[in-house]
Amino acid sequence: SFDESIRLFLSGFRLPGEAQKIDRIMEKFAERFTRQNTDVFPSADTAFILAFSVIMLNTDLHNPSIKPERRMTLESFIRNNKGISVDGGDLPEDFLTGIFNRIKEKPFSLKEDDEAREKVSKESSRDMFESLFVFEGPFGSSAEDRKREKFRKEREEMMAASEQMFKKRPSKNMSSRKLNLDSSTQLTDSVSPADVVKPMFDVTWGPLIGTLSQVLESSTNETSIALCLSGFVYSIRLASHSGMSLARNTFVNSLAKFTTLGSIKEMKSKNIECIRTLLSIAIIDGEYLGDSWSPILQCISQLGRLHLFASGLDSEDQFLQVGSPQLTKISEAAREMEENNGKAVLAAVNEVLIDKVFSSSVTLSARGIVNFIDQLVAVSEAEISGDTKRGISGVSASGGTKGMQGKITTSGHGIEGPRIFSLQRLVEVADYNMDIRPRLTWSQIWENMGNHFAKVGCNENAMVSMFAIDALRQLSFKFLEKPELTDFNFQRLFLKPFLLIMENPGSREDIRELVLRCVDNIIRSLAHNLRSGWKIFFSILTLSASDPSAKIKTLGLAILQRLLDEHLDELCRLSGNVEDVDLPKDLDTDQEQPLSSLQKRQRNANADDFVGLCKASLSFVQTEKAENPLPIGLSMRALCHTACYADIIAEKRVLPPVSGFQSTDPSLSGYTYTGLSDDEALEMAIWRPLLDGLAAGICSSAPSSSGGVGCLVQRGSVMALRAILLRHGRLFSVPQWAAILSYVILPAIQIGAENDCSPVNKISSESPSVSSLDFIGEPLSLPPLCDDEGLKKFSAMAQSDESSPSRPLGTAELLVEASFADLRHGGDGNLSKAYRLKKKDVEKRMVHLQPFPDSWIATTAPIALGILSDLVHVNFLLLGDRAIDVLWPIISKQLSRWTVGSLLHQSQVDVSGSDHENGKKSLTNVEWQPCEAIVRIACKEWCRVYQSVLSGTAILDKTLLRSWLKTLNKDLSDIINQNIHVEEKLRNDIVESKLASIERQNAVRRGNMENDEPLPRMTHLDLLPKLKSRCIAAHCLQQYISSFVNELAPYIDEDATSHLVDALCTSKLASRDARQDEDLAHAFQEAFFEQWGDGVEEVEAALRGVSASGTGHRGSSQMFFLTQEASATKATVILLSLLYCQNHGEDIDPDSWDAESYAEPVLMRSIMDVLTEFLASEVKDGVFVDPNVWRSASESGGQVAFYCTSFAGVVVHILEAIHGLEREKFERHKESLFPMLCSLVCVQSDEIRQWVSSIFTKQIGPLIGVMEESQ
């Protein structure tokens, strides 16, 4: 137990009498106890305070000089120890009760004292034993002999006592009465003088002060004055020692008024003697003055003012009241009188005597110094407010008191300005007592002093507040010269006034700047001694980020940057010091040994400080709209810090905590993710602040555009997060990656997409193949490797810059710096050439202006979603099957959401420093449909994921590669089917809504329905954009399948092929039905005219865009669904032709499944269907098509809504497939293909005719005996 530990600790030595030594001893005891008993107390501060309390309890309970009725009770002991736990908490009452009972039962004692008592006890027992038995003969003595020996010893003790009494006899000239009194006193118990004197003095002090005051007021006789002053001295002393506060205060106040320091009139010698007497009382009896210090300190304050006048100088209130016109100056006569009084006082009262009042504060007890500081603080407050004479003159700072008739009378001194005399003395007292007071006592002293400094630091007078902050700085430097022991928080308590000044909404900008300058100076000079003080500094720097002044913001980030560049080692507690926290190793087995309790606590403290540093930097990332937003440059620089912190973690310069993880309160230590093992959760405790902060930056709602380039903070956050995950992703396990995806990346990009209210959400293309969103950004290409020469050149160039840190850049930090340089100077994304982006070339570079710079979707979404494919390529492919089973479903779900839309589930992302409740942003639990821009971005990301997996053929074994592709194919097929299902449902809803609208109009015309009846929530015109997005999603996915199917075909199995082909066929059939739906076509046409307006001119302009057929204009249902059908057919034809031709390469086992037999019938059926309908459309509609459309048949699909133009590109791929058939396979189908080929000779497309000519040359010629060489 705790008290038994103290008992053992104190059993080997006696505590010294000096409080400072006791403080040091108990401080080391508390530190050692906390190290060895990590679960007893949350910090060493608690153990330190309780240890002192236990020693006081032991003394109070077992000191014989303390009367039983005055000894401490259990209730008092519990009350004295309230609020000593962390953050003002209480220790358990059972715990304190046990300590009290054990100490009451058995006091602390030395081993030698115990041995002596044990020896006496043994001798007593032996005597008792011997008294029961009589041993005669040579081995013992008789009972009579023992009795004689005892009698002899008692006689010697009595003679020695008598001799001592005779030595203390009084002298012969003393009266017999006095002799008898002294003898009786010696023979009886001693009586406290206070018990005898207090009743008598209580009766006489009233008349006594009246007599002394009357004589002192009227007499000019020096002897009488001296006797009166002696009477004041003894009266104050009697009252102080007797605890009579009223009498003491009355005598002190009366004597203070006799000094006339509270009024402006000529001082006499007796007034000066009163001053000397008052100072003498302060020096000699200061321990017992208590509240009476106030008038004494007010008199000393006025003495300081008179000394300035005597020296021919203005008092500091005249100097400090500059800019305060409401303060009046004293008259010339009063000024002259003040100077004369000052000279008289200066001649009679040595200034050393005044200094001694404050220097002797070191001799005061703990209670005495607290009383002294409290009154000095009160006088200082009165000085600063200009009201320093109330206690010694009865006149307030308003300039007068009310007389008998209620009129205002003045004393002539006017309204005072602010003074800092007592504030200066307070600094001196703090300096005197700082190193000699026990830390426990000093904490009590500093609590009042610190609050006073914080209050004065926010004073409206600039000079006063600056002096207070400068005094704080000087005291902080001295306090921090001594390192803080582990688990203590004295630094945090001492530096708290700086934080209070920054938190005060009434503080001025120059004061907050001065506070930051002080913080900067302390870090520069004493960073090696900082421990718990880091928390205060990080809080101050965090507050600077939200300061209204841009200057304060810039200075705060500059301090953070300097901390990273110059003092990171002190913060990270690198190896090589006494408190090294690296895991110890057994030299024989090279195994890591368990950490000691000290190392565990140090690890936790280091991790906690590191998290505070991360949060301080992230507070400079603008995440919410604000009246005084952060400069964009500061946010971008803070994002660079996050990469530096990630490098520090990766290099193990900061290790994760070893205990205390939790996932409920972001403001507490150990905040981490759920669903992880203990070790994984602890590792993420130092990663989560970085990742959550960057996630908040990604979905920031604050505008951050500059020079026509938008969403810089959002894109910068994405780049920083991407660089960290790509460079250090190897450190995360699969469950950790799942947490990062689920809690960081995906919620952030979803919130960013949902919160984008820009016009980009409403832009709709006129055709799936002709996008109106070409301005949307592109995903970032994969970064170069760490050893890339271009990055090395960039790093060398950055270090050569004077404004850049001299330390080497970490891998993630270097990548972020290069990415930002590329973004800032309009680079092409090739980071290997980022070193070429020099500042002198900035003006020559062309920065592409964005049409919607504030649109998150247009600027940030492509690179944000692009992180997913980058992570698959760099990290997830190497994690094996667990990545497929655990991570890919999370990614697939997000891609599905952006491609098709879904019902969102409630999820949150942390936003440090935001105005949202609990600092979090939430996703709404409503059905969400992505706009066209998001759909196109998501479809492109599907393609990039496939490309990432297919690019891993060199590093993955075939089994793992096939597993990846099988999973991707299944999910992609499901996405296409899900999209078609939503598309068909929307199509039916639109037709039903259209028909219902027509019926409603007819009913209104017939009079069967009121015209003002509410319309349905969504009309068919509202549903059409969603249907177009579904059509565009299907087209884009099918187009991307065509782009990577060549690499996919060798690794696809029968099940995957069947699922994919079925999905494509479903899309083809659904789009065919849709383009043949007349009701749907009317709805599209109505929406088209609705978009152009109701006027005649608008309709004529719209009709001018209609082709000669009257149905071929862009935006029609034919345009959309023919394009979708064509892309589905094209993907099917390409995939099946690759399988049918068996071009799998040497590494693929052709016997794995019969791809040729599967592909042949489906492929031939598709070819015949397409060619048949193409030829019919070309004959029917080809005459209406502009010849320019046929110049490139592969790109004609988005020009005119005819089957022949939309499928021209598909026909080209079909002819290419026929051209590549083996001769045997062509001969097998020549009867069906030859007529089609002959008909294609007459089409208008030169490209198609060229392919037909090539087929005739290669395939038909040999059949009729015409060889290719002779053609």
Side-chain angles (χ1 to χ4, degrees):
S1 62
F2 182 71
D3 53 301
E4 292 300 325
S5 300
I6 299 179
R7 189 185 305 278
L8 177 63
F9 179 63
L10 298 179
S11 63
F13 66 96
R14 292 187 187 276
L15 280 176
E18 189 178 346
Q20 187 70 9
K21 293 182 179 179
I22 297 176
D23 177 71
R24 293 289 183 266
I25 292 171
M26 299 315 297
E27 189 176 38
K28 293 301 294 185
F29 166 79
E31 181 191 23
R32 181 65 63 178
F33 181 86
T34 309
R35 290 183 188 176
Q36 297 176 351
N37 302 273
T38 57
D39 300 330
V40 178
F41 298 116
S43 72
D45 288 337
T46 305
F48 178 64
I49 297 172
L50 185 60
F52 258 104
S53 181
V54 167
I55 292 175
M56 293 171 59
L57 174 66
N58 180 77
T59 304
D60 194 86
L61 291 178
H62 301 289
N63 191 339
S65 63
I66 300 178
K67 295 180 180 180
E69 62 270 13
R70 293 187 177 182
R71 288 178 179 171
M72 189 180 300
T73 63
L74 174 61
E75 292 75 15
S76 300
F77 179 67
I78 294 176
R79 184 173 58 252
N80 293 341
N81 290 285
K82 278 191 174 295
I84 67 174
S85 189
V86 173
D87 297 329
D90 296 335
L91 294 175
E93 287 193 11
D94 295 342
F95 177 75
L96 296 176
T97 302
I99 293 177
F100 181 88
N101 293 333
R102 286 189 291 270
I103 294 177
K104 184 177 181 180
E105 181 181 351
K106 184 179 180 182
F108 296 156
S109 60
L110 286 170
K111 286 184 178 179
E112 59 188 33
D113 294 338
D114 294 337
E115 291 172 357
R117 281 191 291 270
E118 185 178 357
K119 183 177 180 181
V120 171
S121 177
K122 288 182 178 179
E123 290 178 353
S124 300
S125 301
R126 186 180 63 193
D127 292 344
M128 183 179 298
F129 180 78
E130 291 176 352
S131 66
L132 296 175
F133 300 92
V134 179
F135 292 95
E136 300 290 349
F139 299 103
S141 58
S142 64
E144 191 67 26
D145 292 338
R146 289 193 295 273
K147 289 181 180 179
R148 281 196 295 270
E149 180 65 21
K150 286 185 178 180
F151 176 77
R152 184 183 62 79
K153 289 183 178 179
E154 290 177 0
R155 184 181 62 184
E156 291 178 354
E157 291 176 357
M158 292 175 63
M159 292 179 64
S162 300
E163 183 181 356
Q164 292 296 325
M165 292 178 63
F166 276 109
K167 289 181 179 180
K168 295 180 179 180
R169 287 179 59 189
S171 58
K172 294 181 179 180
N173 56 0
M174 293 185 65
S175 64
S176 60
R177 182 171 177 272
K178 181 69 177 289
L179 177 61
N180 294 334
L181 179 63
D182 290 347
S183 300
S184 64
T185 302
Q186 292 178 3
L187 297 176
T188 59
D189 293 336
S190 61
V191 180
S192 173
D195 294 338
V196 177
V197 176
K198 182 176 180 180
M200 294 186 293
F201 187 70
D202 192 22
V203 175
T204 60
W205 74 266
L208 180 60
I209 191 174
T211 303
L212 294 176
S213 300
Q214 181 65 30
V215 175
L216 188 59
E217 177 72 25
S218 59
S219 177
T220 58
N221 183 274
E222 294 182 0
T223 303
S224 299
I225 293 173
L227 288 174
C228 289
L229 293 178
S230 297
F232 269 100
V233 171
Y234 292 129
S235 297
I236 292 172
R237 189 167 297 165
L238 281 173
S240 299
H241 285 265
S242 301
M244 302 172 64
S245 58
L246 177 60
R248 180 197 63 204
N249 293 342
T250 305
F251 276 99
V252 172
N253 285 328
S254 179
L255 184 59
K257 287 181 174 62
F258 279 117
T259 63
T260 68
L261 289 171
S263 59
I264 301 178
K265 60 182 179 180
E266 183 181 358
M267 278 190 176
K268 300 177 181 178
S269 59
K270 65 179 180 181
N271 302 124
I272 297 176
E273 286 302 318
C274 289
I275 294 174
R276 292 168 59 88
T277 302
L278 203 61
L279 294 177
S280 176
I281 292 172
I283 296 171
I284 297 174
D285 299 305
E287 173 65 30
Y288 307 99
L289 288 177
D291 296 342
S292 298
W293 271 113
S294 180
I296 296 175
L297 293 173
Q298 290 182 54
C299 289
I300 294 175
S301 172
Q302 295 303 316
L303 282 177
R305 189 166 181 268
L306 290 179
H307 279 183
L308 289 176
F309 280 120
S311 303
L313 303 174
D314 284 333
S315 64
E316 71 267 39
D317 59 338
Q318 299 296 324
F319 174 71
L320 293 173
Q321 72 178 9
V322 175
S324 301
Q326 71 275 14
L327 301 176
T328 61
K329 295 184 178 180
I330 62 176
S331 64
E332 291 296 328
R335 170 61 185 256
E336 183 178 357
M337 185 173 294
E338 293 271 30
E339 290 182 1
N340 294 334
N341 289 341
K343 291 176 181 179
V345 171
L346 187 61
V349 180
N350 195 331
E351 194 170 356
V352 175
L353 195 61
I354 299 175
D355 295 336
K356 192 173 181 180
V357 173
F358 300 98
S359 61
S360 62
S361 63
V362 298
T363 63
L364 298 177
S365 66
R367 181 174 298 178
I369 188 63
V370 169
N371 290 331
F372 178 72
I373 293 296
D374 289 346
Q375 298 306 316
L376 185 56
V377 166
V379 174
S380 176
E381 290 178 348
E383 280 185 351
I384 293 171
S385 63
D387 188 11
T388 61
K389 298 181 180 180
R390 178 192 296 270
I392 56 177
S393 69
V395 181
S396 68
S398 61
T401 58
K402 287 190 177 182
M404 296 296 295
Q405 304 300 324
K407 298 181 179 180
I408 301 296
T409 60
T410 65
S411 60
H413 61 263
I415 300 177
E416 298 181 16
R419 298 182 59 225
I420 58 173
F421 174 83
S422 295
L423 188 62
Q424 291 172 313
R425 294 300 187 176
L426 191 63
V427 176
E428 295 175 7
V429 171
D431 183 63
Y432 292 146
N433 289 270
M434 184 183 298
D435 289 336
I436 68 166
R437 294 287 176 183
R439 287 301 174 98
L440 183 59
T441 304
W442 175 252
S443 299
Q444 297 173 346
I445 296 172
W446 182 251
E447 183 176 2
N448 193 7
M449 293 178 65
N451 291 334
H452 178 59
F453 279 117
K455 181 179 179 181
V456 177
C458 299
N459 192 275
E460 59 182 5
N461 189 298
M463 296 182 181
V464 172
S465 56
M466 287 184 179
F467 177 84
I469 294 175
D470 186 64
L472 265 178
R473 180 188 61 81
Q474 296 179 41
L475 292 174
S476 300
F477 267 91
K478 182 174 181 179
F479 184 83
L480 294 173
E481 286 177 355
K482 185 176 69 172
E484 185 180 57
L485 297 179
T486 307
D487 293 329
F488 285 87
N489 294 296
F490 291 123
Q491 288 182 358
R492 185 171 62 180
L493 296 175
F494 192 92
L495 298 172
K496 189 176 180 180
F498 288 117
L499 178 61
L500 295 177
I501 295 173
M502 288 293 293
E503 290 177 337
N504 193 323
S507 60
R508 300 189 312 278
E509 178 182 344
D510 58 333
I511 293 303
R512 297 193 299 274
E513 180 184 357
L514 184 58
V515 169
L516 288 177
R517 298 288 183 189
C518 292
V519 170
D520 190 23
N521 290 335
I522 293 174
I523 292 176
R524 289 190 184 195
S525 304
L526 297 169
H528 57 282
N529 281 348
L530 283 174
R531 293 295 184 271
S532 63
W534 283 119
K535 292 180 176 61
I536 294 294
F537 287 166
F538 294 151
S539 298
I540 290 173
L541 294 175
T542 301
L543 286 173
S544 69
S546 57
D547 196 275
S549 169
K551 184 178 182 181
I552 299 297
K553 293 182 175 76
T554 304
L555 179 58
L557 188 66
I559 295 173
L560 272 173
Q561 184 68 48
R562 189 177 297 109
L563 174 59
L564 284 179
D565 297 341
E566 301 176 6
H567 303 288
L568 196 56
D569 291 354
E570 286 87 350
L571 180 63
C572 294
R573 313 280 201 275
L574 296 184
S575 59
N577 56 22
V578 178
E579 297 180 342
D580 183 15
V581 297
D582 288 338
L583 289 172
K585 289 188 177 181
D586 189 332
L587 297 179
D588 296 332
T589 62
D590 197 31
Q591 296 291 324
E592 292 181 349
Q593 299 299 311
L595 291 173
S596 66
S597 58
L598 169 63
Q599 290 171 323
K600 290 179 180 179
R601 287 183 174 274
Q602 190 64 54
R603 276 269 293 269
N604 289 345
N606 292 350
D608 201 24
D609 287 344
F610 180 76
V611 169
L613 175 62
C614 295
K615 290 182 177 179
S617 289
L618 286 166
S619 65
F620 287 88
V621 179
Q622 190 80 46
T623 59
E624 298 290 338
K625 294 181 180 179
E627 295 181 2
N628 301 290
L630 283 156
I632 295 176
L634 296 186
S635 293
M636 302 299 281
R637 178 48 48 190
L639 292 173
C640 293
H641 290 182
T642 61
C644 176
Y645 300 145
D647 292 330
I648 291 171
I649 299 174
E651 295 167 5
K652 295 187 176 181
R653 297 173 68 184
V654 169
L655 299 175
V658 293
S659 61
F661 63 89
Q662 52 90 24
S663 58
T664 57
D665 192 344
S667 62
L668 298 181
S669 302
Y671 184 54
T672 185
Y673 302 107
T674 58
L676 303 176
S677 67
D678 290 354
D679 291 340
E680 291 171 336
L682 288 168
E683 289 174 2
M684 297 307 293
I686 55 178
W687 279 106
R688 180 156 196 177
L690 286 178
L691 302 179
D692 285 350
L694 291 173
I698 291 173
C699 58
S700 171
S701 59
S704 56
S705 301
S706 177
V709 180
C711 293
L712 290 174
V713 171
Q714 291 84 344
R715 285 195 283 172
S717 300
V718 173
M719 291 177 178
L721 180 62
R722 178 176 180 265
I724 291 171
L725 296 180
L726 292 183
R727 286 296 192 238
H728 303 307
R730 67 186 186 282
L731 301 176
F732 302 121
S733 64
V734 171
Q736 289 171 332
W737 271 118
I740 293 172
L741 289 171
S742 301
Y743 294 105
V744 179
I745 301 177
L746 302 186
I749 61 178
Q750 186 64 38
I751 291 173
E754 288 187 38
N755 291 344
D756 189 346
C757 300
S758 66
V760 175
N761 283 284
K762 299 180 180 179
I763 295 178
S764 178
S765 302
E766 295 179 349
S767 169
S769 60
V770 181
S771 174
S772 300
L773 298 160
D774 295 335
F775 54 84
I776 293 179
E778 293 291 328
L780 298 176
S781 58
L782 284 172
L785 299 177
C786 298
D787 57 354
D788 180 74
E789 291 298 326
L791 285 180
K792 290 181 179 179
K793 291 180 180 179
F794 181 88
S795 178
M797 184 176 297
Q799 290 183 353
S800 63
D801 191 350
E802 295 181 356
S803 61
S804 299
S806 57
R807 60 178 173 81
L809 300 177
T811 55
E813 187 180 12
L814 177 58
L815 188 58
V816 171
E817 293 280 3
S819 299
F820 285 2
D822 183 81
L823 176 64
R824 187 167 54 248
H825 302 317
D828 57 1
N830 186 356
L831 300 186
S832 294
K833 299 179 181 179
Y835 67 91
R836 298 179 181 178
L837 303 174
K838 298 179 180 179
K839 292 183 178 180
K840 63 181 181 181
D841 298 330
V842 172
E843 296 181 357
K844 301 178 182 179
R845 297 189 176 277
M846 294 295 295
V847 178
H848 301 288
L849 300 181
Q850 298 164 333
F852 300 98
D854 293 327
S855 171
W856 189 91
I857 295 175
T859 58
T860 311
I863 59 176
L865 197 67
I867 292 179
L868 302 180
S869 57
D870 294 337
L871 292 179
V872 169
H873 180 85
V874 177
N875 297 304
F876 296 168
L877 291 181
L878 302 177
L879 294 177
D881 292 332
R882 290 204 67 195
I884 302 175
D885 299 335
V886 178
L887 302 182
W888 171 248
I890 301 174
I891 297 175
S892 176
K893 183 178 180 181
Q894 182 63 33
L895 293 178
S896 171
R897 180 178 297 171
W898 275 36
T899 307
V900 182
S902 64
L903 182 68
L904 295 183
H905 299 286
Q906 187 75 15
S907 61
Q908 296 176 326
V909 58
D910 290 325
V911 182
S912 304
S914 71
D915 295 332
H916 287 260
E917 184 178 359
N918 298 326
K920 294 184 176 181
K921 288 182 178 179
S922 299
L923 302 178
T924 53
N925 194 18
V926 297
E927 186 178 358
W928 179 77
Q929 292 294 328
C931 64
E932 179 185 336
I934 289 180
V935 168
R936 291 185 180 274
I937 294 170
C939 293
K940 181 177 291 188
E941 188 62 15
W942 271 105
C943 178
R944 295 182 78 241
V945 169
Y946 265 96
Q947 291 172 346
S948 298
V949 174
L950 291 170
S951 66
T953 54
I955 60 174
L956 298 178
D957 60 77
K958 297 176 184 177
T959 303
L960 184 58
L961 178 61
R962 285 197 176 99
S963 297
W964 267 104
L965 292 175
K966 181 178 180 180
T967 304
L968 293 180
N969 290 333
K970 180 181 180 303
D971 289 348
L972 182 59
S973 301
D974 292 342
I975 288 296
I976 295 175
N977 286 325
Q978 181 182 351
N979 184 72
I980 298 305
H981 173 74
V982 175
E983 180 181 302
E984 290 181 332
K985 183 178 184 302
L986 285 171
R987 178 164 61 89
N988 294 332
D989 291 344
I990 289 172
V991 173
E992 291 177 3
S993 177
K994 173 63 177 174
L995 296 177
S997 175
I998 295 174
E999 181 64 27
R1000 189 181 303 105
Q1001 293 174 4
N1002 293 335
V1004 171
R1005 283 196 294 267
R1006 291 193 301 266
N1008 297 333
M1009 181 182 293
E1010 296 294 334
N1011 198 20
D1012 56 352
E1013 186 172 330
L1015 297 175
R1017 185 173 61 89
M1018 295 192 72
T1019 66
H1020 61 283
L1021 297 179
D1022 297 325
L1023 295 173
L1024 273 176
K1026 296 182 179 181
L1027 178 62
K1028 291 180 178 180
S1029 294
R1030 297 302 99 237
C1031 181
I1032 292 172
H1035 168 73
C1036 291
L1037 288 175
Q1038 292 157 182
Q1039 281 289 92
Y1040 287 126
I1041 290 174
S1042 301
S1043 67
F1044 58 73
V1045 72
N1046 287 327
E1047 294 82 11
L1048 175 65
Y1051 303 99
I1052 194 169
D1053 60 13
E1054 185 174 5
D1055 289 339
T1057 303
S1058 176
H1059 284 131
L1060 190 56
V1061 171
D1062 289 345
L1064 293 173
C1065 291
T1066 301
S1067 175
K1068 179 174 63 175
L1069 295 176
S1071 56
R1072 179 179 298 173
D1073 293 341
R1075 68 179 171 86
Q1076 294 173 352
D1077 191 331
E1078 294 295 333
D1079 293 326
L1080 184 63
H1082 292 159
F1084 267 76
Q1085 190 173 18
E1086 182 181 351
F1088 179 78
F1089 288 119
E1090 179 78 15
Q1091 179 181 0
W1092 282 88
D1094 299 331
V1096 176
E1097 296 181 358
E1098 288 83 355
V1099 173
E1100 290 180 352
L1103 291 176
R1104 283 196 293 269
V1106 178
S1107 65
S1109 66
T1111 60
H1113 58 76
R1114 294 181 181 179
S1116 66
S1117 62
Q1118 290 277 333
M1119 178 67 73
F1120 273 84
F1121 294 107
L1122 273 173
T1123 304
Q1124 176 184 343
E1125 183 183 355
S1127 60
T1129 306
K1130 175 182 174 182
T1132 304
V1133 168
I1134 295 176
L1135 174 59
L1136 294 176
S1137 62
L1138 290 170
L1139 295 175
Y1140 184 54
C1141 294
Q1142 291 290 329
N1143 294 325
H1144 299 309
E1146 299 178 356
D1147 296 335
I1148 303 301
D1149 183 7
D1151 298 329
S1152 58
W1153 69 289
D1154 193 355
E1156 180 179 338
S1157 299
Y1158 172 85
E1160 183 176 13
V1162 182
L1163 175 62
M1164 290 302 154
R1165 186 167 56 250
S1166 298
I1167 290 176
M1168 298 308 296
D1169 291 344
V1170 170
L1171 293 180
T1172 300
E1173 194 162 357
F1174 174 81
L1175 289 170
S1177 175
E1178 203 276 338
V1179 172
K1180 177 183 176 182
D1181 305 319
V1183 294
F1184 302 111
V1185 179
D1186 188 334
N1188 292 323
V1189 174
W1190 293 111
R1191 289 187 176 180
S1192 178
S1194 301
E1195 300 177 0
S1196 62
Q1199 301 297 319
V1200 183
F1202 292 128
Y1203 189 97
C1204 59
T1205 55
S1206 298
F1207 275 76
V1210 180
V1211 171
V1212 169
H1213 283 283
I1214 289 175
L1215 296 176
E1216 184 179 357
I1218 295 173
H1219 184 273
L1221 289 175
E1222 298 175 3
R1223 185 165 301 173
E1224 177 186 356
K1225 295 176 180 178
F1226 181 81
E1227 290 180 1
R1228 194 183 309 166
H1229 302 284
K1230 62 184 177 181
E1231 289 82 2
S1232 58
L1233 292 177
F1234 183 73
M1236 295 294 180
L1237 293 172
C1238 294
S1239 301
L1240 289 173
V1241 173
C1242 301
V1243 300
Q1244 301 183 53
S1245 171
D1246 293 338
E1247 186 177 6
I1248 292 176
R1249 291 198 302 270
Q1250 289 174 1
W1251 273 107
V1252 172
S1253 175
S1254 297
I1255 292 172
F1256 271 94
T1257 302
K1258 180 182 178 181
Q1259 302 288 10
I1260 305 296
L1263 293 178
I1264 60 177
V1266 180
M1267 303 305 295
E1268 186 174 355
E1269 290 80 10
S1270 61
Q1271 297 297 320

